[in-house]
Amino acid sequence: MHNLAARSARRSILSGEASQVSSVFSRLRQGAVALGVGLSLIATSAPALAEVKVGVSDWPGWVAWYVAEQKGFFKKHHADVKLVWFANYTDSISALSSGQLDANSQTWSDTMGPLAKGVPVKAVLVNDNSAGNDALMVSPKIKGFADLKGKRIALEEFSISHFVLATALAKNGMSQKDVKVVNLSAGDAAAAFMSGRVDAAVVWNPWVNQIEKSGKGKALFTSKDMPGLIPDLLVAQDKAIKAKRKDLVGMIRAWFDTEKFIRENPDEAAAIMSKVVSMKADEYKVFLPGTKFFDAAANQAAFNAADPKSLQTVAPTIAKFLLDNKLIDGKPDAAKGIDASLLTEALAK
């Protein structure tokens, strides 16, 4: 496969039994290059006396924080921020839960485990939703979901890919009992599909793009078909919200400048983001169309409990998958894990 695939693993799941803080839907790009870049970024990404330590891992909506840093948006909004790179996404979740970070870039699903354990953290911003970067790819002979019955589908078990499949099947009157899941890493799942060893695969970019370009498969269902269910967030410790509120509010304001910059200057944004993960800018641009970066209006909707795609509304669906697969202990109280007040303050004139 193209060498880009070697740099594109994404958040994998660890059960609550295997880790003190469960990493549920993990997106992680593995490799020595990413680790080397991460270590250098820890040393150079912010002033030594920065007030707010924020964990960042390899996902477009989070790598975008380096756009905010390099374009001076933090400084513009008087936010004293230190970005701390984590080559291993799971470690960032543990670091936030243990209080080593003030805030972290993590999924809503990965916040469920800490909330169920009573860890005092709250989502304060939605960076993005996956909107096409995850897809159920099928061979040309598969015309619809009915054709999937009894077929072999490769995916990384208990990952975002697994959640995508479960959602896709449920939306089409089927269940996981109707198909045969073949547990493979994302890269191996894509390879198995491309070689014809399985009838379908659930993968993420760049494999989605590679399969489409090969002509060997098409997307039957993507994360764009499940809006609100794969949100990527800025999650902060309660104590940081109280003690470092000004900086967190400034950080949220900086995000809206960042979203606007990415939308209006995708080439320059991709050039900045690609350097963080040691990719070529044109290769990194594959991720942008499938990432719905959230602006102010989208954030207001996400924090409005009455909205059908809000964090609070989608939480039971996410929690059910996690509980059904024994990935978290106890039911999380989503309402306790949301704080919209910083967003409101950031948007106040």
Side-chain angles (χ1 to χ4, degrees), residues 25 136 145 148 153 155-156 158-179 181 202 221 226 229 317-318 320-322 324-325:
F25 293 151
L136 167 59
F145 276 86
L148 281 178
I153 302 177
L155 55 77
E156 191 169 322
F158 308 134
S159 69
I160 284 179
S161 296
H162 197 162
F163 182 54
V164 169
L165 177 65
T167 303
L169 293 173
K171 283 179 174 287
N172 288 275
M174 297 171 65
S175 75
Q176 294 178 66
K177 294 180 180 179
D178 294 315
V179 299
V181 171
V202 188
F221 184 93
M226 46 192 292
L229 285 171
T317 300
I318 297 171
K320 183 179 185 303
F321 177 83
L322 301 178
D324 287 350
N325 289 283

Side-chain angles (χ1 to χ4, degrees), residues 11-84:
R11 291 181 257 198
S12 57
I13 287 181
L14 297 174
S15 72
E17 295 298 321
S19 173
Q20 181 178 2
V21 179
S22 65
S23 165
V24 187
F25 293 151
S26 80
R27 291 180 178 138
L28 162 67
R29 281 190 202 172
Q30 299 169 336
V33 172
L35 178 59
V37 172
L39 292 174
S40 67
L41 286 172
I42 291 174
T44 63
S45 63
L49 298 178
E51 285 192 40
V52 182
K53 289 179 63 177
V54 180
V56 183
S57 304
D58 194 354
W59 179 249
W62 301 334
V63 175
W65 283 121
Y66 289 98
V67 174
E69 181 183 70
Q70 292 191 33
K71 299 306 294 185
F73 297 146
F74 291 147
K75 185 176 181 180
K76 173 185 173 183
H77 294 288
H78 310 290
D80 199 5
V81 177
K82 178 179 181 180
L83 299 178
V84 182

Side-chain angles (χ1 to χ4, degrees), residues 38-282:
L39 292 174
S40 67
L41 286 172
I42 291 174
T44 63
S45 63
L49 298 178
E51 285 192 40
V52 182
K53 289 179 63 177
V54 180
V56 183
S57 304
D58 194 354
W59 179 249
W62 301 334
V63 175
W65 283 121
Y66 289 98
V67 174
E69 181 183 70
Q70 292 191 33
K71 299 306 294 185
F73 297 146
F74 291 147
K75 185 176 181 180
K76 173 185 173 183
H77 294 288
H78 310 290
D80 199 5
V81 177
K82 178 179 181 180
L83 299 178
V84 182
W85 181 263
F86 284 82
N88 187 333
Y89 165 70
T90 303
D91 291 344
S92 75
I93 300 169
S94 298
L96 178 68
S97 296
S98 64
Q100 297 174 56
L101 292 172
D102 296 307
N104 189 44
S105 305
Q106 60 190 59
T107 64
W108 190 210
S109 48
D110 278 331
T111 307
M112 297 287 176
L115 288 176
K117 293 176 181 291
V119 178
V121 294
K122 287 183 171 60
V124 298
L125 177 77
V126 179
N127 295 90
D128 73 277
N129 272 198
S130 175
N133 274 336
D134 302 273
L136 167 59
M137 306 301 292
V138 299
S139 63
K141 65 183 180 182
I142 304 294
K143 305 299 181 182
F145 276 86
D147 296 333
L148 281 178
K149 287 191 175 180
K151 297 296 191 296
R152 288 162 56 84
I153 302 177
L155 55 77
E156 191 169 322
E157 200 168 35
F158 308 134
S159 69
I160 284 179
S161 296
H162 197 162
F163 182 54
V164 169
L165 177 65
T167 303
L169 293 173
K171 283 179 174 287
N172 288 275
M174 297 171 65
S175 75
Q176 294 178 66
K177 294 180 180 179
D178 294 315
V179 299
K180 298 175 182 177
V181 171
V182 179
N183 184 22
L184 294 172
S185 68
D188 289 343
F193 177 77
M194 296 277 276
S195 64
R197 288 184 282 129
V198 294
D199 303 286
V202 188
V203 291
W204 51 83
N205 267 318
W207 292 294
V208 171
N209 182 261
Q210 290 172 356
I211 290 171
E212 288 176 336
K213 284 186 174 180
S214 74
K216 294 184 177 181
K218 61 182 180 181
L220 183 62
F221 184 93
T222 79
S223 51
K224 194 171 184 178
D225 300 311
M226 46 192 292
L229 285 171
I230 309 180
D232 300 300
L233 315 172
L234 178 65
V235 179
Q237 276 268 358
D238 280 5
K239 62 182 180 182
I241 292 174
K242 294 174 183 175
K244 304 177 181 181
R245 187 179 186 90
K246 175 185 71 70
D247 295 286
L248 287 168
V249 169
M251 194 175 181
I252 292 171
R253 289 174 176 152
W255 173 257
F256 297 134
D257 283 350
T258 304
E259 183 279 329
K260 184 174 184 288
F261 182 85
I262 294 171
R263 178 163 29 92
E264 296 180 350
N265 305 276
D267 290 343
E268 186 178 351
I272 294 171
M273 295 161 74
S274 64
K275 287 181 181 179
V276 177
V277 293
S278 298
M279 289 175 65
K280 294 179 180 178
D282 59 344

